[in-house]
Amino acid sequence: MENASLVDEYGYVEDGKVFLKGYLDYPDRQIGEVKRTEQEALDYFKNRFIIAQSKVAQLEEEVTEAQNKGSYLTKLLQLRRKLISFDAIGDFPPLLDRLDQLEDILSGLIHTNQLKNLEIKRALIAEAEVIAGSDDWKPTAEALQDIKTKWIKTGPVDKSVEAEVEDQFQALLDGFFQRRREFFNEQNKVIQERLDQYEEMIKLVERAVRNPDLDVVYQEVRRLNNAWKNIGEVPIKKGGKLHKRFKRTVQYVFEKYNNAKGIVIQKRIDPRIEQQMKMADEAESLSKVPDSEIFTSANRAKELLNAWKEIKVPFKMQDKAVNEKFRAACDKIFELSYLGRVLDRKYPAFSLKSQAEQLRTKIRELEYLVKREKNDLQFSMQDIDSLDPENPEDKQILNKINTQKRKIAMKEVILREFHRALAAAE
């Protein structure tokens, strides 16, 4: 620098080259060359220092406004490296001091967050340990997946313990899912063995049917039918067709034998179905009461509906005709009850009218209700094509539309009854 032709506080020009004076432990460094005049070159690199200042200020502002401040540490370290090699003339140590101070803040925050993350992850490990030994496969697998999702969303921990907690958590997951795989592999073996037994039973029963001696066939099929029941269950998707095939042959033999022997089999009705049949009969009787008793019928119908819900009949065993009979009877009671309230409100002297006039009034009011509800239904169905039955909210809308349709259909049934009664009264 002794031969420098132009000197600034933080830089100088020497032999047509621009230098930044050394600072801290960094020596003097050439940062450019003189293109036109030495002063212009010096001024150019002094102006470039403004860029360095703005970069530091921008980072400080971003950190201040950011919620996840720790994520800026890498950006800070990169900026420091760039500043050390940045071609500009100015007072770099204060800028580096500001970055050092900011790094201390970020490092402190990161350390605090890492301690918090470690606490969370250890809690998740403890939560997983409680259930990882369970054999209740489906809910446990779902619970562990939820825990894993929380784990993934939790930030990093200190490098010194990262491998330890990750290995501990992964070991719990691997242990559970390995046990589950082994269980289902064994289950699949058992299921396959049962399916093989089913296949063999079908061959035996179909072979037995070819025997001309009906008594021998019957005894053999009974034996095979009892043996079939002792094999054990398999998933319906895998064994359903085999079950139907076997039962079809067994049923054929039993019916043939009973017909030959004159045996009449009384079909057994499930007590739950029998109870529903009685409730359906009662509801139907309640729908035929006089107008003066319809409100009492409606209260009883509500009790029957609640009682019906308490009878848990498996879907495959349900009697569709009984279900429809009960539902239709209750719908009719509620529609007549609603009509009764309308008539009481609008026609205080309704009971003084003749029978024919009462029927005309009922028809007029019910036709109005049907017209209004059809308009409401038409409005509800405007976007029906865009509804997805698998979506819970859309399914709720579709159920409401079906209820609207059913109520309108029942009103129209009642209207037809009123018209027939009016024709008979006139």
Side-chain angles (χ1 to χ4, degrees):
M1 195 176 72
E2 295 166 351
N3 300 320
S5 53
L6 183 61
V7 179
D8 181 77
E9 183 179 1
Y10 303 109
Y12 58 91
V13 177
E14 182 179 326
D15 298 330
K17 298 175 182 179
V18 182
F19 289 85
L20 170 66
K21 290 181 182 179
Y23 60 91
L24 301 178
D25 294 330
Y26 303 106
D28 293 6
R29 177 169 63 86
Q30 181 186 340
I31 59 173
E33 296 179 351
V34 175
K35 300 295 184 183
R36 297 176 60 184
T37 68
E38 293 180 347
Q39 188 62 51
E40 282 184 357
L42 202 64
D43 290 341
Y44 169 76
F45 285 104
K46 287 172 67 176
N47 288 333
R48 275 180 58 81
F49 184 71
I50 297 173
I51 298 175
Q53 291 174 312
S54 65
K55 290 292 184 184
V56 173
Q58 180 182 353
L59 179 62
E60 289 172 330
E61 183 179 353
E62 289 176 358
V63 170
T64 300
E65 296 177 353
Q67 290 186 342
N68 183 16
K69 301 181 188 298
S71 62
Y72 282 86
L73 181 58
T74 300
K75 190 172 182 180
L76 183 148
L77 297 176
Q78 291 173 345
L79 179 57
R80 180 189 281 122
R81 286 195 295 271
K82 289 180 181 178
L83 286 183
I84 292 170
S85 60
F86 190 67
D87 293 338
I89 293 175
D91 191 5
F92 278 93
L95 294 184
L96 295 175
D97 285 342
R98 286 162 63 183
L99 291 183
D100 288 342
Q101 293 171 18
L102 189 57
E103 181 181 357
D104 289 341
I105 294 171
L106 296 182
S107 296
L109 289 172
I110 290 172
H111 180 68
T112 301
N113 288 336
Q114 286 179 340
L115 290 176
K116 182 179 178 182
N117 293 339
L118 180 60
E119 183 181 347
I120 293 171
K121 288 192 171 182
R122 282 181 172 156
L124 292 174
I125 288 173
E127 188 178 346
E129 282 177 334
V130 172
I131 63 174
S134 172
D135 294 337
D136 198 359
W137 305 113
K138 185 176 180 180
T140 303
E142 290 174 352
L144 287 174
Q145 290 293 355
D146 288 341
I147 293 173
K148 185 177 181 180
T149 299
K150 294 175 185 176
W151 182 279
I152 293 170
K153 290 181 178 179
T154 303
V157 299
D158 189 84
K159 293 290 183 183
S160 62
V161 294
E162 182 178 21
E164 176 192 344
V165 294
E166 290 289 343
D167 291 346
Q168 191 176 357
F169 181 69
Q170 195 59 46
L172 287 169
L173 295 184
D174 291 345
F176 170 79
F177 287 107
Q178 178 62 31
R179 286 194 309 106
R180 189 181 71 158
R181 278 193 297 273
E182 291 172 355
F183 172 82
F184 283 109
N185 286 340
E186 186 60 33
Q187 283 291 98
N188 288 335
K189 289 180 184 178
V190 172
I191 289 170
Q192 189 56 52
E193 289 174 0
R194 290 176 180 175
L195 290 173
D196 292 341
Q197 288 180 276
Y198 281 175
E199 293 277 8
E200 183 61 26
M201 284 287 183
I202 289 172
K203 290 179 183 177
L204 291 174
V205 78
E206 290 179 348
R207 184 186 305 159
V209 172
R210 293 195 288 270
N211 190 320
D213 190 330
L214 183 58
D215 289 328
V216 173
V217 172
Y218 176 72
Q219 293 301 326
E220 177 64 7
V221 169
R222 278 191 65 185
R223 184 186 70 79
L224 292 172
N225 190 44
N226 290 331
W228 177 281
K229 295 174 183 176
N230 293 328
I231 291 174
E233 295 183 355
V234 299
I236 188 67
K237 289 183 179 180
K238 293 188 175 183
K241 290 182 179 180
L242 295 176
H243 182 78
K244 287 180 181 178
R245 182 177 167 187
F246 180 81
K247 289 302 178 185
R248 187 166 55 244
T249 304
V250 171
Q251 190 67 26
Y252 165 75
V253 172
F254 286 175
E255 289 178 359
K256 185 177 180 181
Y257 181 83
N258 291 336
N259 289 336
K261 304 296 182 179
I263 300 172
V264 178
I265 303 297
Q266 294 293 332
K267 187 176 181 182
R268 178 181 174 276
I269 301 177
D270 186 280
R272 293 168 294 185
I273 300 295
E274 197 169 9
Q275 186 180 358
Q276 287 185 333
M277 292 171 69
K278 292 178 181 178
M279 294 171 69
D281 289 340
E282 182 182 353
E284 196 169 63
S285 298
L286 291 171
S287 70
K288 298 174 182 178
V289 300
D291 291 351
S292 59
E293 300 176 21
I294 194 61
F295 299 126
T296 303
S297 288
N299 291 331
R300 175 56 183 159
K302 291 176 184 177
E303 294 174 358
L304 289 174
L305 269 175
N306 291 329
W308 184 282
K309 293 173 184 177
E310 296 300 318
I311 304 174
K312 307 297 183 183
V313 181
F315 180 76
K316 289 185 177 180
M317 293 177 58
Q318 291 181 15
D319 189 316
K320 186 177 179 181
V322 174
N323 291 350
E324 291 178 352
K325 179 181 177 180
F326 178 75
R327 181 73 262 180
C330 289
D331 284 348
K332 186 175 183 180
I333 293 167
F334 295 140
E335 293 299 336
L336 289 172
S337 174
Y338 179 73
L339 178 62
R341 290 198 299 273
V342 171
L343 295 173
D344 283 353
R345 186 180 71 253
K346 296 179 70 173
Y347 306 96
F350 181 78
S351 60
L352 301 178
K353 295 176 181 285
S354 66
Q355 183 184 2
E357 188 56 34
Q358 285 183 4
L359 285 168
R360 291 191 192 95
T361 304
K362 288 180 179 180
I363 290 170
R364 184 169 62 252
E365 291 298 329
L366 202 51
E367 285 178 340
Y368 169 76
L369 291 173
V370 168
K371 182 179 179 181
R372 187 183 68 185
E373 290 185 16
K374 281 185 175 180
N375 289 335
D376 292 342
L377 177 62
Q378 187 176 6
F379 178 79
S380 299
M381 293 185 66
Q382 286 179 348
D383 301 320
I384 194 169
D385 292 337
S386 63
L387 299 178
D388 179 9
E390 300 299 323
N391 181 293
E393 293 182 0
D394 289 354
K395 186 177 180 180
Q396 191 174 4
I397 295 172
L398 289 170
N399 288 340
K400 183 179 178 181
I401 289 173
N402 289 331
T403 300
Q404 287 178 281
K405 289 180 179 179
R406 200 178 73 237
K407 291 175 71 174
I408 291 171
M410 180 50 66
K411 285 183 174 69
E412 290 178 333
V413 168
I414 296 171
L415 267 174
R416 289 194 291 271
E417 292 180 359
F418 285 166
H419 279 293
R420 286 195 295 269
L422 180 59
E426 290 181 336

